[in-house]
Amino acid sequence: MLEGLLVDLVPFGERFMKLEHKWVNGPGVFYWAIGNHWLVTHAEMEAWQRERADDPQWQAQRVSFGVQTKDGTPIGLFGMRRWLPHHRLAMLTAMIGEPDYWGGGYGTDALLLLVDFAFEWLDVHKVWLMTFSLNARVIRQMEKVGFTFEGRMREATYAEGARHDILAYGLLREEWPGRAALIEKLGLRAKG
């Protein structure tokens, strides 16, 4: 378990898998899937979960965590996919699936834990992620935690009746000031 101020990152197990169907059919997937709305049945989700569990290549390239509040409430999933140990490179994936927890620092706390884990425990050289130009929350988050804007795929996705750019952000290990420094800089504090 990775312990944060607002959230903990824990193994992505059964209680998160039960909520995964709700989350991929909810409003959070729109931002996670770069402008897509998914309609996934329970049977499709269960089949997908079985396939993931049985695929050693899928398992080898991913590190998955459930995000829970300090009182143990599951609120999302964070992890690394396309983790390439030889290159020391990891693509981050993140979703706070419970909209009631958007904008309260929960995602930022989870991101700081995940990035710190990547750099300090896995010795990753670079973490990166992609979002799209409509996702103002993640764009602000990337800027405030020190990610660098690295590229734009112009008009690469269509959402809400318009074309939007896909944006890439990256952070090198040498640019990471450390979790404690960012907590201080951002004024992130435990609730209650």
Side-chain angles (χ1 to χ4, degrees):
M1 175 168 70
L2 304 176
E3 294 185 47
L5 294 173
L6 304 172
V7 299
D8 297 322
L9 300 185
V10 299
F12 189 81
E14 187 65 34
R15 58 190 191 114
F16 292 93
M17 291 172 73
K18 288 179 182 177
L19 291 165
E20 193 173 20
H21 176 264
K22 173 186 169 188
W23 294 338
V24 300
N25 284 291
V29 83
F30 176 75
Y31 298 101
W32 186 58
I34 305 183
N36 289 314
H37 291 285
W38 291 355
L39 294 173
V40 179
T41 67
H42 281 285
E44 289 170 324
M45 179 56 67
E46 289 168 3
W48 186 47
Q49 289 170 341
R50 278 193 307 274
E51 287 171 18
R52 288 186 316 203
D54 294 338
D55 183 350
Q57 185 174 357
W58 192 94
Q59 296 291 336
Q61 292 185 353
R62 287 167 174 76
V63 175
S64 300
F65 292 101
V67 180
Q68 67 182 24
T69 62
K70 297 308 266 182
D71 69 2
T73 303
I75 63 170
L77 55 97
F78 272 55
M80 293 177 282
R81 39 185 249 200
R82 297 188 189 137
W83 176 37
L84 305 171
H86 175 74
H87 299 287
R88 296 175 48 220
L89 177 69
M91 178 184 180
L92 304 182
T93 183
M95 178 174 49
I96 299 295
E98 298 293 337
D100 290 347
Y101 293 89
W102 293 356
Y106 298 92
T108 298
D109 192 28
L111 177 67
L112 296 180
L113 285 168
L114 184 62
V115 171
D116 197 62
F117 175 75
F119 289 147
E120 301 301 328
W121 287 84
L122 300 179
D123 195 29
V124 169
H125 172 71
K126 178 181 181 176
V127 294
W128 64 284
L129 62 76
M130 295 178 76
T131 190
F132 69 124
S133 54
L134 197 57
N135 196 347
R137 271 193 341 269
V138 167
I139 293 168
R140 278 192 313 272
Q141 184 183 51
M142 292 303 97
E143 292 167 354
K144 75 181 179 182
V145 300
F147 277 67
T148 298
F149 173 71
E150 295 186 337
R152 174 184 309 270
M153 292 190 326
R154 295 175 303 137
E155 298 186 10
T157 190
Y158 184 82
E160 295 190 347
R163 294 236 164 250
H164 301 279
D165 299 343
I166 293 179
L167 311 174
Y169 289 87
L171 181 66
L172 301 175
R173 188 184 203 307
E174 66 221 27
E175 299 167 337
W176 176 242
R179 184 171 167 269
L182 280 169
I183 286 170
E184 184 65 30
K185 174 187 169 192
L186 300 173
L188 196 60
R189 300 285 178 255
K191 305 262 187 216

